[in-house]
Amino acid sequence: MKSLNIWTGLYAVALAATVPTIAQGQTPDAPRFVAETPTPRVDYWQKRASDIGQELSTAQSLEPVRLVFVGDSITDFWHLDANPWFPGLYCGWSVWNESFGGAVPQHKALNLGVSGDRIEHVLHRLLPAAQGGEGWLDRPDLQPDTLFVMLGINNSFDAEKPATTSIIKGVEAVVARLRERRPKARIVIQSLLPTEDAVKNRDLVMPVNAALRTHAATQANTVFLDLYPSFVDDSGAQRRVLFNDALHPSREGYRVWRDRLVAFLNAAPEVKAPSGG
């Protein structure tokens, strides 16, 4: 996403600012600029991916996990509270804890979203380590009931052409990879959310969503969940109050998303056999 080029750099600054160091001759209370402190560069996505890898390798048991979320920063930012780049704005952490943190055992979730990931990067993360991937589904005790997928908007920037076809084929490849790795799990393909660009919504987001709906109908134990209508007003424009920066949901946006997910899970819809394909 375009804004993430700025965000990742700002994250490195924010990270450095949390490291207390005292220059020679300064008192402990003396102010110190970040620019004076030697600091390795760690962009947000690198730390996030490292944290996920650490959790997957060290968790005593992943058996309680019933839901797994796969995606990019829109999924990732369920795990942020106060927005580290824009003071006064909030993401989805408190909402995630309320509903997916384990208080409801059947909704205990694992978030595999990484900011900035394109579809091809997610495919690499899901590829078994034995095949050169990151093996994020290698743990045999990770056997979720449901896999939620939201991917594609990052591939609309510096896009292959035609972008819609590239995104559709990429998401289909992710679904196939998930089905291969977890054949018994239900896969929920979530729609792309609306952007603030009406033309992009018309020419890319909506056609991609329509194609993914059709694809889900051809796949066994696969459902399409259309979130798009919940994030637009009566005129079809993006509801800006539900977004922090016109692309990433605000805390209120995550509440809307959460409510749709919980309603979906509680309804436990019957998954029909594929229509063909």
Side-chain angles (χ1 to χ4, degrees):
M1 302 176 189
K2 289 181 177 178
S3 59
L4 286 174
N5 291 331
I6 299 173
W7 286 28
T8 52
L10 290 175
Y11 176 80
V13 172
L15 183 67
T18 66
V19 180
T21 52
I22 302 171
Q24 184 177 4
Q26 285 186 317
T27 67
D29 295 328
R32 183 174 179 84
F33 290 102
V34 171
E36 299 177 85
T37 308
T39 305
R41 182 176 181 180
V42 181
D43 284 342
Y44 174 85
W45 72 267
Q46 294 171 304
K47 183 178 185 303
R48 172 65 176 153
S50 175
D51 288 346
I52 292 174
Q54 181 74 5
E55 181 178 4
L56 291 172
S57 65
T58 61
Q60 190 170 27
S61 175
L62 294 173
E63 289 182 2
V65 173
R66 307 315 327 141
L67 314 173
V68 169
F69 287 73
V70 176
D72 49 37
S73 57
I74 294 172
T75 297
D76 177 351
F77 293 174
W78 280 109
H79 270 205
L80 290 179
D81 188 25
N83 190 303
W85 304 283
F86 299 109
L89 300 181
Y90 291 84
C91 302
W93 183 232
S94 62
V95 183
W96 176 275
N97 281 337
E98 289 173 4
S99 298
F100 306 123
V104 181
Q106 64 268 32
H107 294 170
K108 170 68 175 175
L110 174 66
N111 187 330
L112 299 182
V114 177
S115 178
D117 268 7
R118 294 164 69 90
I119 301 169
E120 56 267 31
H121 304 138
V122 173
L123 284 168
H124 178 70
R125 299 192 192 285
L126 299 177
L127 189 69
Q131 298 177 26
E134 295 191 36
W136 279 8
L137 293 179
D138 283 2
R139 284 277 296 257
D141 58 340
L142 180 58
Q143 296 292 336
D145 302 314
T146 304
L147 296 157
F148 287 99
V149 180
M150 183 190 287
L151 279 170
I153 198 64
N154 283 349
N155 288 72
S156 70
F157 304 113
D158 298 321
E160 295 180 287
K161 300 187 183 304
T164 53
T165 304
S166 172
I167 292 169
I168 292 161
K169 291 298 184 182
V171 175
E172 289 177 359
V174 169
V175 171
R177 173 73 39 83
L178 292 172
R179 177 63 62 217
E180 173 188 294
R181 301 305 310 278
R182 293 296 182 271
K184 296 181 180 179
R186 173 175 54 177
I187 298 174
V188 180
I189 304 173
Q190 301 168 102
S191 67
L192 296 182
L193 301 181
T195 72
E196 66 175 347
D197 184 339
V199 174
K200 185 170 188 173
N201 291 337
R202 182 196 67 199
D203 294 346
L204 184 138
V205 176
M206 296 176 74
V208 166
N209 286 343
L212 295 180
R213 181 191 295 275
T214 298
H215 181 70
T218 70
Q219 304 300 304
N221 207 18
T222 304
V223 179
F224 179 78
L225 181 60
D226 191 3
L227 301 172
Y228 190 100
S230 298
F231 287 83
V232 294
D233 60 22
D234 291 341
S235 73
Q238 184 193 70
R239 293 174 60 192
R240 285 293 286 113
V241 69
L242 300 183
F243 293 84
N244 279 338
D245 61 355
L247 196 58
H248 301 88
S250 62
R251 184 158 59 189
E252 183 57 34
Y254 280 104
R255 286 197 185 103
V256 170
W257 188 1
R258 181 273 311 278
D259 291 347
R260 291 291 312 278
L261 293 174
V262 170
F264 171 82
L265 290 165
N266 289 340
E270 178 183 354
V271 179
K272 298 180 180 179
S275 61

